Amino acid sequence: MFRYSDKEIKEILKEAIVVIDTREQRCKHIIEYFEAHKIKYVCEKLDFGDYTLKVQLPHWNRAFYLQDICTIERKANLNELSGNFTQSRERIEKEFLRARGCLHLLIENASYEDILLHNYNTKYLPNSFNATLKVFEARYDLKVTFLKDSTYSGDFIYKTLIYTLRELLKKGEI
């Protein structure tokens, strides 16, 4: 197990780059957040999920991707998620099956209560919607986060990834 000094960890974190999947759409607000906060990012094809990190570790001669450890799947709203659950359920399940490590599901412009109160524009019934979400949480070990205001999505994505990386480095797990 390799141990980094606090100074090395700070440098690695400073050089970390957020990877945005090339298929990710409608993420201008997230890119604007990254640019405003001078967070490095690149667009590359990911095997699953929408966001992860890549870093150059001192003892590696190639970039290390956090994708097998921590990835974020983003949904713009409950309409998009309900469409995934009803019209393209097989595709989203295959994506969740491919995921390794911790998979965060970020649901923007919504709250848990919005599902219960049917505050979305599809015919997917609240009980069915909630049941599918809860089953997927258990089945795929999803960590679900609702963000009522998507203005904070960039912050959520960056901090979720960077603090996961920080803890792994501190524990000597990568």
Side-chain angles (χ1 to χ4, degrees), residues 146-170:
F146 292 90
L147 279 181
K148 195 76 166 162
D149 185 347
S150 63
T151 303
Y152 303 104
S153 295
D155 184 76
F156 172 83
I157 291 165
Y158 180 70
K159 288 182 179 165
T160 298
L161 295 170
I162 206 74
Y163 286 114
T164 297
L165 174 61
R166 179 177 168 254
E167 286 306 300
L168 293 167
L169 292 168
K170 283 183 162 243

Side-chain angles (χ1 to χ4, degrees), residues 57-122:
L57 299 173
H59 64 287
W60 283 53
N61 38 351
R62 61 181 168 80
F64 176 84
Y65 286 78
L66 202 63
Q67 185 174 26
D68 288 346
I69 300 169
C70 184
T71 307
I72 298 171
E73 174 74 22
R74 181 185 70 89
K75 298 299 174 191
N77 52 48
L78 292 175
N79 298 336
E80 180 183 3
L81 184 58
S82 84
N84 290 147
F85 285 170
T86 57
Q87 298 163 5
S88 54
R89 187 180 185 114
E90 187 177 312
R91 186 192 59 76
I92 196 167
E93 283 209 72
K94 282 181 181 176
E95 181 153 355
F96 290 163
L97 276 169
R98 281 193 310 271
R100 294 175 293 279
C102 180
L103 180 61
H104 292 266
L105 176 60
L106 170 60
I107 306 167
E108 295 178 318
N109 305 303
S111 67
Y112 181 79
E113 294 82 11
D114 288 331
I115 294 175
L116 302 177
L117 299 173
H118 203 150
N119 290 337
Y120 49 93
N121 296 326
T122 68

Side-chain angles (χ1 to χ4, degrees), residues 24-86:
E24 174 70 327
Q25 299 174 11
R26 299 181 313 251
C27 66
K28 183 179 178 211
H29 62 294
I30 294 167
I31 289 173
E32 287 173 351
Y33 175 87
F34 292 162
E35 290 172 349
H37 291 85
K38 296 179 177 38
I39 296 168
K40 297 174 196 162
Y41 69 91
V42 295
C43 292
E44 295 179 10
K45 183 184 178 298
L46 295 174
D47 295 332
F48 53 87
D50 297 319
Y51 299 89
T52 194
L53 276 182
K54 76 174 179 178
V55 293
Q56 187 62 52
L57 299 173
H59 64 287
W60 283 53
N61 38 351
R62 61 181 168 80
F64 176 84
Y65 286 78
L66 202 63
Q67 185 174 26
D68 288 346
I69 300 169
C70 184
T71 307
I72 298 171
E73 174 74 22
R74 181 185 70 89
K75 298 299 174 191
N77 52 48
L78 292 175
N79 298 336
E80 180 183 3
L81 184 58
S82 84
N84 290 147
F85 285 170
T86 57

